[in-house]
Amino acid sequence: MSEAYSARSAGGSGGERAAAWLSFMAAPAFATMALITAHPGGGMAPLCMGVEHGPLVSGMVPMYLMMGAFHSGPWLRMIARWRS
């Protein structure tokens, strides 16, 4: 993410700035998707009445949480830079 910060501060191209903002939006988007899916009635239930509510440790919720953790790097680097 340091490249994105330097591109923004140096007036980098629009594509570099868009990539920097998109990298910050991935983790919150996946966290939101996990919350919506974990909510009773969330996920596929409104679309398919035959879906049974299984345990939250299987299915899409852990996948969204793992994807959010995988994409949290830009946030962690920004917090580390802010604290130092």
Side-chain angles (χ1 to χ4, degrees):
M1 198 63 209
S2 61
E3 298 87 19
Y5 282 118
S6 62
R8 189 177 74 191
S9 63
S13 72
E16 291 171 346
R17 282 183 264 158
W21 283 109
L22 285 175
S23 68
F24 275 104
M25 293 307 298
F30 286 125
T32 303
M33 290 164 58
L35 288 173
I36 290 171
T37 305
H39 186 272
M44 293 297 292
L47 300 175
C48 179
M49 299 307 285
V51 173
E52 295 181 22
H53 293 287
L56 292 179
V57 294
S58 65
M60 297 300 287
V61 175
M63 185 195 70
Y64 287 142
L65 292 174
M66 188 171 53
M67 290 170 69
F70 180 75
H71 290 286
S72 64
W75 287 99
L76 296 174
R77 282 191 292 275
M78 182 182 70
I79 291 168
R81 196 173 4 253
W82 176 68
R83 295 185 103 194
S84 62

